[in-house]
Amino acid sequence: MARYGLRTLAVVYLLFLLVLPVILIIWRTFAGGLAPFAEALTSPSALHAFQVTVVVAGWAVVANTVFGIGVSLLLTRHSFPGKRLLNAFIDLPMAVSPVVVGLALILVYGRFAPVGGLLESWGFQVIFSTPGMVIATVFVSMPLVVRALVPVLEELGDEQEQAAHTLGASRLQSFLRITLPGIRWALGYGVVLCLARSLGEYGAVAVVSGRLVDQTQTLTLFVEERFQNFDQPAAFAAATALALVAVLTLLLTKLLRPKD
Amino acid sequence: MTTDTARRPLSPPRTPGGEGRPRPRFSTGTATGLGVAVLYLSLIVLIPLAVVVWRSLDQGPGFFWRAVTTPDAWAALTLTVVASAIVALINLVMGTIIAWVLVRDRFPGKAVVDTIIDLPFALPTIVAGLVLLALYGPESPLGVNLAYTRAGVVLALLFVTLPFVIRTVQPVLLELDADVEQAAASLGASPFQIFRRIILPNLVPAMLSGTALAFTRAIAEFGSTVLISGNLPFKTQVAAVNLFSQIESDNTTGAAAISTVLLAVALAALLLLDLLQRWGNRRG
């Protein structure tokens, strides 16, 4: 009896907190058929926001993938003083509020900050422009690839790599032929998580982008701006598109997740 | 391939940074990699965060204190801490129950339920807020309107923190041996006694770790509360939103002060989490 009670409680809780809200918004978006959905997403503003999102998330994923592979190799294959500290710093972005991230970057790279002012005098604008949005996105999604790779690299061990070295393989060869094939699923898992987080980032990007419509507006900023301007169909359509990407991410991570 | 490697002259095992020499404690390859990683981390994360803390304190502790205790900032910080504590408690109970059902119960569709638990991690926070507003806003088909209320804030925080307790308790519950429970039952223990004396003590470290993670996330949350809370100062404005409006009005020092408080609370929660995990490891 208790079993049915708990099961019902769990299912009802998830239904009302998670399932019904998401289904309702998808249903409302498609209530008028596919045409209004397509129309709302192909307006010039929406297309521009989509393009900005892809550029920012693309660069952030590339940066975090390179950094993630490098740092996880450092953490698992090398010994150096301060390793625990580096390990702790990698997780720091997870605990920082996205708005704090935005403020922190403005205080360093803004027009009136020393570093930002210097870069600006060289004609390189960071804040209220794409580089700042990329840095903000890199910040918030930094730990994801590292955390996906470290356990797998530890599990694999370095015996095969050592063997390759003794047989005369260069470090690049042993990385490409031995390490990379060993971590490819975990890497895929980390990259998918990082991409999802980058596409969906809102708070940090809202601060550093200046929220300039048709200039620095990403899809998540588009959702908010359209909703505040009482353009519900466009807000719902973009939200549904992002929700569908999230569901796709979920299925992909389910496939890629390391089985234990 | 075997013949090829066999013909190759045997060279001494190479260690990065030196051939033949005894492996140094700290090779040049490691040093270069470490240097690049630390520089990258510093430019993006460490220096900006340090500047925030420095900026909040450089005009003296009195200024810091006044910036944090302005009526609207103080109201926002209090609401954030109280709402996050409520959310953490609900997560502690509901997360454990859901983890229990996912591990010990069997019903059709369980795999689907298990998959959708992670949806709040994948869904952009602004979409989470919009989605909740659709069901619990002015146009609610259920007739429940939580828009612009504190209950709406709690609801948004519950949504984004849902997976933490479930995902920390679930693996521990999977590892738990059912034999001990059966032995207790055969000796006449009631289900409640079994839960209290055998299951609960094993789960407590994981439950508390998940709760600490949920609390940290709730303290920092911004996107999901923006739409549903309406950002009414003194009523529904959480700390991150108050911070956002201070940045928009160029009150940098005030914004830095609130940021420092948020960072301090998050670090304290993470420290507690680390202690909890060590405690759990020692017991396990």
Side-chain angles (χ1 to χ4, degrees):
Chain A
M1 212 49 230
R3 154 177 298 206
Y4 291 109
L6 288 179
R7 184 195 300 176
T8 313
L9 185 61
V11 169
V12 167
Y13 184 79
L14 291 173
L15 203 62
F16 279 90
L17 185 62
L18 197 61
V19 179
L20 288 179
V22 175
I23 287 182
L24 180 62
I25 204 150
I26 294 177
W27 183 74
R28 280 202 183 154
T29 304
F30 292 115
L34 267 173
F37 174 72
E39 198 180 312
L41 283 186
T42 48
S43 73
S45 289
L47 286 176
H48 189 272
F50 185 71
Q51 188 209 332
V52 173
T53 305
V54 169
V55 168
V56 169
W59 281 114
V61 168
V62 168
N64 272 332
T65 304
V66 174
F67 172 80
I69 294 173
V71 166
S72 43
L73 284 174
L74 263 179
L75 288 174
T76 54
R77 297 286 186 266
H78 299 263
S79 59
F80 51 87
K83 196 180 206 172
R84 273 192 66 183
L85 199 63
L86 178 66
N87 199 21
F89 279 151
I90 303 285
D91 284 330
L92 194 57
M94 282 300 187
V96 180
S97 175
V99 190
V100 176
V101 175
L103 175 70
L105 294 177
I106 284 185
L107 289 183
V108 174
Y109 299 106
R111 181 173 297 174
F112 302 110
V115 180
L118 187 69
L119 290 172
E120 185 104 358
S121 70
W122 295 340
F124 189 71
Q125 191 189 1
V126 179
I127 300 300
F128 302 150
S129 170
T130 312
M133 295 159 76
V134 173
I135 297 175
T137 309
V138 166
F139 189 126
V140 297
S141 57
M142 182 172 284
L144 295 168
V145 174
V146 182
R147 290 295 159 237
L149 290 184
V150 165
V152 179
L153 279 169
E154 270 172 355
E155 182 104 2
L156 281 175
D158 64 348
E159 283 159 24
Q160 293 189 30
E161 291 159 30
Q162 297 285 2
H165 282 304
T166 55
L167 295 172
S170 72
R171 306 192 78 187
L172 184 68
Q173 278 177 319
S174 96
F175 174 75
L176 290 178
R177 301 272 182 93
I178 297 185
T179 318
L180 202 56
I183 59 171
R184 59 170 188 255
W185 293 110
L187 185 63
Y189 177 65
V191 167
V192 168
L193 284 183
C194 180
L195 181 66
R197 186 76 178 80
S198 303
L199 290 174
E201 178 47 28
Y202 172 74
V205 165
V207 177
V208 298
S209 70
R211 300 190 289 170
L212 310 170
V213 177
D214 289 343
Q215 289 181 49
T216 59
Q217 193 178 53
T218 61
L219 263 189
T220 49
L221 298 175
F222 176 82
V223 170
E224 193 258 354
E225 183 256 332
R226 284 291 92 201
F227 188 79
Q228 305 282 26
N229 287 320
F230 306 104
D231 184 2
Q232 272 204 7
F236 279 10
T240 296
L242 285 166
L244 293 177
V245 171
V247 171
L248 192 68
T249 311
L250 217 56
L251 297 177
L252 268 176
T253 51
K254 192 89 182 158
L255 279 175
L256 294 168
R257 183 176 301 169
K259 313 258 185 307
D260 39 17
Chain B
M1 192 185 150
T2 27
T3 48
D4 182 49
T5 50
R7 242 183 272 132
R8 209 181 280 249
L10 265 177
S11 59
R14 279 192 209 175
T15 52
E19 247 133 291
R21 275 189 285 133
R23 194 191 179 110
R25 267 190 64 231
F26 195 63
S27 70
T28 44
T30 309
T32 317
L34 187 61
V36 173
V38 169
L39 182 71
Y40 179 89
L41 199 62
S42 302
L43 286 176
I44 294 176
V45 178
L46 301 179
I47 294 174
L49 289 182
V51 169
V52 169
V53 176
W54 174 73
R55 180 60 78 84
S56 72
L57 296 171
D58 72 340
Q59 296 187 39
F63 196 95
F64 175 84
W65 186 244
R66 276 196 299 282
V68 171
T69 52
T70 58
D72 60 318
W74 189 252
L77 282 168
T78 322
L79 171 66
T80 304
V81 172
V82 172
S84 301
I86 294 172
V87 164
L89 272 178
I90 297 178
N91 269 309
L92 177 67
V93 177
M94 287 312 299
T96 309
I97 291 176
I98 294 170
W100 172 271
V101 170
L102 286 177
V103 174
R104 292 294 175 90
D105 203 354
R106 258 182 301 178
F107 55 94
K110 197 177 92 169
V112 179
V113 175
D114 192 43
T115 306
I116 61 166
I117 298 290
D118 287 324
L119 189 61
F121 282 165
L123 202 67
T125 51
I126 192 78
V127 177
L130 191 68
V131 153
L132 289 173
L133 203 52
L135 189 60
Y136 300 105
E139 291 167 46
S140 166
L142 303 171
V144 185
N145 186 359
L146 299 179
Y148 311 154
T149 67
R150 289 179 175 169
V153 174
V154 170
L155 185 70
L157 297 179
L158 279 177
F159 185 98
V160 294
T161 55
L162 171 75
F164 288 106
V165 175
I166 303 174
R167 291 306 187 217
T168 45
V169 170
Q170 211 175 4
V172 182
L173 210 48
L174 272 171
E175 295 281 303
L176 220 60
D177 208 347
D179 288 355
V180 190
E181 291 162 44
Q182 278 162 9
S186 72
L187 294 171
S190 70
F192 179 73
Q193 278 175 320
I194 296 175
F195 178 75
R196 235 207 66 157
R197 298 286 180 86
I198 298 172
I199 301 170
L200 200 58
N202 283 302
L203 286 189
V204 163
M207 286 163 69
L208 293 180
S209 298
T211 308
L213 282 173
F215 181 77
T216 317
R217 174 66 203 266
I219 288 280
E221 182 53 24
F222 174 68
S224 64
T225 65
V226 165
L227 295 180
I228 202 164
S229 77
N231 310 325
L232 311 170
F234 304 107
K235 190 166 177 242
T236 61
Q237 192 181 57
V238 294
V241 177
N242 181 270
L243 171 60
F244 188 80
S245 64
Q246 300 223 31
I247 297 172
E248 296 273 276
S249 53
D250 272 333
N251 180 10
T252 317
T253 317
I258 297 171
S259 300
T260 302
V261 173
L262 288 179
L263 282 174
V265 175
L267 284 184
L270 285 185
L271 214 61
L272 184 73
L273 181 69
D274 193 51
L275 290 176
L276 283 171
Q277 273 164 354
R278 283 187 205 181
W279 178 51
N281 287 344
R282 230 179 306 138
R283 286 162 53 114

